[in-house]
Amino acid sequence: LATHSKPWRLPGTDQTDFFNYGFDEYTWTQYCMRQQDMTGQVSQMKDQ
Amino acid sequence: ECAYVHIGPNSPLRRKACEHYARGFCPLGPWCKARHVKHKVPCPFYLAGFCPNGRAHPPGPDRIVSCEFGAHARWIRDED
């Protein structure tokens, strides 16, 4: 996969071809981190 | 005139929806063979954890439900 060449950074590319829901590169990574935090917290709460 | 919708055999509407794009991001972008079903905004309630409109509307071709507040972006545990 072309994750390391980051083709969505090229000028003239439509960000929405790569990112859905109005995400961009930065908000998408933030979202991923938050989802991982959430699943961690939820599993902790289930253990209690 | 036929009352049904006619979709040609090579129409992009016949391609199946990209599951990576439905998750939020597809690294193939415009070169992806699957169809990228675009949603404008994620539903803030679903994003926070719960939206009561989950079953109020039928899901789209990418199996993502969209309520009046936005799309219910389903999170699938990382495969990347």
Side-chain angles (χ1 to χ4, degrees):
Chain A
L1 290 171
T3 6
H4 296 286
S5 58
K6 301 191 195 286
W8 55 88
R9 284 188 179 177
L10 294 171
T13 46
D14 186 4
Q15 291 276 315
T16 62
D17 283 340
F18 294 92
F19 297 95
N20 207 347
Y21 314 111
F23 282 125
D24 64 24
E25 199 180 330
Y26 306 101
T27 50
W28 169 246
T29 42
Q30 272 180 10
Y31 172 71
C32 288
M33 302 278 276
R34 229 193 58 181
Q35 291 286 346
Q36 277 158 15
D37 286 355
M38 284 250 282
T39 41
Q41 282 172 14
V42 167
S43 63
Q44 272 184 15
M45 281 158 76
K46 276 180 183 163
D47 290 342
Q48 281 175 11
Chain B
E1 280 293 300
C2 180
Y4 292 100
V5 181
H6 289 222
I7 301 172
N10 298 318
S11 163
L13 289 170
R14 280 198 190 262
R15 290 184 293 153
K16 71 172 178 54
C18 177
E19 49 191 64
H20 300 277
Y21 194 74
R23 188 170 178 255
F25 169 64
C26 173
L28 299 176
W31 298 283
C32 187
K33 269 175 72 186
R35 188 154 65 101
H36 285 186
V37 183
K38 292 184 184 182
H39 296 279
K40 269 218 180 81
V41 283
C43 172
F45 302 106
Y46 189 82
L47 208 56
F50 172 72
C51 175
N53 299 326
R55 295 237 168 131
H57 309 277
D62 51 354
R63 296 192 296 148
I64 298 291
V65 174
S66 315
C67 73
E68 62 262 50
F69 305 107
H72 291 189
R74 192 177 302 162
W75 177 261
I76 303 141
R77 268 182 105 177
D78 34 348
E79 72 289 324
D80 48 300

